[in-house]
Amino acid sequence: MIALLQRVTRARVEVGGETVGAIERGLLVLVGVQRGDTPARAERLAERVLDYRVFPDPAGRMNLSLRDIDGGLLLVPQFTLAADTRKGTRASFTPAAPPDEGQRRFGEVVARATASHSRVATGRFGADMQVSLINDGPVTFWLES
């Protein structure tokens, strides 16, 4: 599984002009599911996202996690993160999980995050989403589990 974390001051996802998920200070996380990803990987990814230290402590060092600051978490499914871009000028999506598997694994990440963090919002799997954000820093990390 892949997660692209972006530290944000706010973020929002719209589908058809309707806001389906929004947060203030926290993390916008784009989630890509690859073929063969397991429930254990989904659980591990959720825990890493919640515990990854990307927020500044009083000394200005990135020593605080999302849990530490009680920030918002906006999880957005994005199958294009699993694309193979190593050759040519068009991505191959062969490494991405099939839609039913991707939806199931994304749901497991959401369920795990929601079970242990109170401020979780999501995009909509399979929808044409418009994502807006204000990247804080900018701070962006790529995580894999």
Side-chain angles (χ1 to χ4, degrees):
M1 294 193 80
I2 301 165
L4 184 70
L5 280 68
Q6 298 179 77
R7 188 175 77 187
V8 299
T9 56
R10 67 178 172 263
R12 160 177 95 206
V13 177
E14 292 182 5
V15 175
E18 172 193 349
T19 299
V20 296
I23 61 167
E24 293 298 321
R25 182 177 186 223
L27 293 175
L28 166 64
V29 180
L30 305 175
V31 178
V33 181
Q34 297 173 297
R35 290 181 186 275
D37 281 339
T38 63
R41 285 185 182 166
E43 182 174 327
R44 173 74 176 131
L45 187 73
E47 290 301 316
R48 286 190 75 198
V49 164
L50 293 170
D51 292 330
Y52 213 72
R53 296 181 301 165
V54 300
F55 296 94
D57 65 13
R61 295 192 178 124
M62 283 194 271
N63 278 327
L64 301 177
S65 71
L66 189 68
R67 290 185 214 243
D68 293 331
I69 68 154
D70 195 28
L73 175 60
L74 179 54
L75 296 167
V76 177
Q78 186 173 353
F79 82 97
T80 60
L81 286 176
D84 181 353
T85 60
R86 292 176 290 175
K87 59 183 179 179
T89 57
R90 183 171 181 210
S92 167
F93 297 106
T94 302
D100 59 331
E101 182 183 337
Q103 185 170 18
R104 195 167 40 254
R105 296 293 168 259
F106 177 72
E108 291 164 358
V109 171
V110 172
R112 179 63 179 168
T114 302
S116 59
H117 192 70
S118 62
R119 300 174 192 267
V120 179
T122 69
R124 189 173 296 156
F125 193 92
D128 180 18
M129 297 175 279
Q130 288 67 55
V131 180
S132 59
L133 67 135
I134 297 179
N135 196 320
D136 181 21
V139 173
T140 303
F141 291 98
W142 176 280
L143 299 180
E144 290 187 62
S145 70

